[in-house]
Amino acid sequence: MLAARHVVCALSGGVDSAVAALLLRRRGYQVTGVFMKNWDSLDEHGVCAADRDCEDAYRVCQVLDIPFHQVSYVKEYWNEVFSDFLNEYERGRTPNPDIVCNKHIKFSCFFRYAVDNLAVKLLQAADSFKDQTFFLSQVSQDALRRTIFPLGGLTKDFVKKIAAENRLHHVLQKKESMGICFVGKRNFEHFILQYLQPRPGKFISIEDNTVLGTHKGWFLYTLGQRAKIGGLREPWYVVEKDAAKGDVLVAPRTDHPALYRDLLRTSRVHWIAEEPPAALVRDKMMECHFRFRHQMALVPCVLTLNQDGTVWVTAVKAVRALALGQFAVFYKGDECLGSGKILRLGPSAYTLQKGRSRARAAPEGSSEGPSKDPGLCPTP
């Protein structure tokens, strides 16, 4: 994918990037290893593992006998990623900082540190568990043309085997980095409330409007998660959030119909190929698949293209816990087409059920006319 013989390889201090640098070197590239520092541990009271990771990245370069550089994007990360992260939570959305980081830091700031080359498609990896196309779905075509993914055709087990055979034991046993990197193992609620002011509100049952408890801020919760309500034995789950009142609506079951929706609208879609697929432009509708969480099963859907570049996404089957602020990432076969941020949700199955029940209960011949299901219509 990359014609230039010199390659800048981002090293995280983990086994994947170490083996990527090794494979590039074996294939004849002149590799420079670069560690990116994106978070300043002095900004808050948590513990940052960046110094240890930087040391491990430096040791990888020593073992492989390649140059080592370090770059800092702490200011850029704060302005482009962390500020957006806080802003999204303050608005009650569920952000995905990994996607925003790839867009603004790794494939913008770091990209400008690197090289030049060809046009590409973004394809899913051989190891579905480690596939990163979901997180890369907002990266520009220009950046992808100058990027290679040496591990794309390998499984994680094989990557570890290569590391073991090449004296990279110090990174071989490290745990996978999961979750939001700057939060780590800290309590998420306590972490967020260091940066955002508490906004106390109520937990309210969506079924009968009973007040079940209180919380410190509606923005702390995302749809589908279990609500921590003191004094209740049975689990309750977040199904909606009232931004105006600051209340969190909850339901008593993890499979409650209030959690399921089959319709959403995105922001203007970022297409990897820079333009929408020809079939979507021609017909204004197109069948494909999407996901809104990493590693979730792909969901069959129909896209409806709007004049402003946004799309309606109609799922073939209602899906659980769609959340504003997440990204709907689109696929056709093995190819990742791009993504758009979820900005609007259709009615839940519970809302539609209530609407149909009211319609059946209405007396025949009512002068009020036919009732309509509350909801949205996917028109361009």
Side-chain angles (χ1 to χ4, degrees):
M1 194 188 297
L2 191 64
R5 301 309 295 175
H6 181 262
V7 177
V8 174
C9 182
L11 294 176
S12 66
V15 64
D16 286 344
S17 59
V19 172
L22 169 67
L23 294 179
L24 288 168
R25 193 167 180 275
R26 279 186 172 179
R27 293 170 188 174
Y29 292 98
Q30 298 174 13
V31 182
T32 298
V34 182
F35 179 80
M36 282 182 283
K37 182 177 180 181
N38 297 330
W39 186 256
D40 188 348
S41 58
L42 299 179
D43 286 343
E44 36 82 38
H45 301 298
V47 178
C48 184
D51 292 339
R52 168 70 187 278
D53 290 336
C54 182
E55 181 182 329
D56 287 337
Y58 175 71
R59 289 179 63 193
V60 167
C61 291
Q62 286 185 311
V63 172
L64 299 181
D65 193 25
I66 61 175
F68 172 78
H69 293 173
Q70 181 180 353
V71 292
S72 175
Y73 298 123
V74 172
K75 180 180 178 181
E76 294 85 13
Y77 193 93
W78 183 279
N79 292 336
E80 299 291 348
V81 181
F82 190 58
S83 295
D84 174 77
F85 173 83
L86 293 177
N87 183 54
E88 290 288 281
Y89 264 102
E90 196 165 31
R91 297 174 71 180
R93 296 175 175 172
T94 306
N96 194 312
D98 289 323
I99 287 180
V100 180
C101 176
N102 275 324
K103 180 177 183 179
H104 292 293
I105 306 301
K106 293 179 183 175
F107 290 87
S108 180
C109 296
F110 184 74
F111 164 69
R112 289 194 292 270
Y113 190 89
V115 245
D116 247 284
N117 239 339
L118 281 164
V120 295
K121 292 182 178 180
L122 183 60
L123 303 179
Q124 295 186 81
D127 190 332
S128 59
F129 184 75
K130 294 295 295 178
D131 175 58
Q132 296 293 299
T133 54
F134 178 83
F135 298 113
L136 296 168
S137 61
Q138 284 278 309
V139 175
S140 72
Q141 171 66 207
D142 194 36
L144 289 172
R145 286 171 183 165
R146 296 160 170 82
T147 307
I148 58 176
F149 300 100
L151 306 185
L154 306 179
T155 64
K156 182 72 176 193
D157 288 342
F158 195 67
V159 169
K160 289 186 174 182
K161 181 175 181 292
I162 294 172
E165 292 172 350
N166 289 274
R167 299 183 295 118
L168 296 171
H169 301 284
H170 69 288
V171 294
L172 184 59
Q173 301 303 325
K174 292 184 75 170
K175 291 183 178 180
E176 295 283 340
S177 56
M178 305 290 283
I180 301 171
C181 59
F182 51 78
V183 176
K185 295 181 179 180
R186 286 167 283 188
N187 178 281
F188 181 76
E189 181 175 311
H190 294 167
F191 177 80
I192 289 296
L193 291 178
Q194 290 183 60
Y195 299 94
L196 300 179
Q197 290 296 316
R199 297 182 187 176
K202 299 184 288 292
F203 286 116
I204 298 176
S205 168
I206 197 170
E207 295 186 339
D208 58 13
N209 292 322
T210 300
V211 176
L212 301 174
T214 60
H215 58 78
K216 295 181 181 179
W218 62 285
F219 53 82
L220 294 169
Y221 297 90
T222 190
L223 271 61
Q225 81 174 91
R226 182 172 176 173
K228 296 179 180 178
I229 307 175
L232 297 183
R233 288 186 178 181
E234 298 299 319
W236 287 72
Y237 298 88
V238 177
V239 294
E240 287 186 28
K241 298 186 290 187
D242 188 329
K245 297 180 180 178
D247 293 331
V248 175
L249 281 67
V250 293
R253 301 192 316 275
T254 186
D255 61 348
H256 194 282
L259 280 167
Y260 288 83
R261 289 174 166 83
D262 63 4
L263 182 65
L264 64 93
R265 186 169 182 165
T266 71
S267 62
R268 184 179 183 87
V269 175
H270 169 79
W271 300 105
I272 296 295
E274 298 184 330
E275 298 293 336
L280 183 58
V281 173
R282 182 185 67 243
D283 303 330
K284 305 303 178 186
M285 300 179 75
M286 183 184 78
E287 293 182 356
C288 65
H289 290 76
F290 85 106
R291 60 166 54 108
F292 57 95
R293 289 191 304 270
H294 184 222
Q295 296 179 350
M296 72 174 285
L298 287 169
V299 178
C301 67
V302 175
L303 302 186
T304 303
L305 182 63
N306 301 310
Q307 291 182 348
D308 60 359
T310 65
V311 297
W312 286 104
V313 183
T314 305
V316 171
K317 185 179 180 181
V319 291
R320 185 182 183 277
L322 286 167
L324 296 176
Q326 282 284 26
F327 285 80
V329 182
F330 307 114
Y331 294 83
K332 194 78 170 177
D334 287 335
E335 182 181 358
C336 177
L337 302 176
S339 64
K341 186 182 291 186
I342 300 173
L343 297 183
R344 194 172 177 187
L345 298 177
S348 70
Y350 182 69
T351 299
L352 295 175
Q353 287 174 8
K354 289 203 302 182
R356 287 191 288 268
S357 296
R358 284 196 297 268
R360 286 194 296 268
E364 292 186 12
S366 169
S367 60
E368 295 181 3
S371 66
K372 297 179 180 178
D373 277 345
L376 308 171
C377 180
T379 52

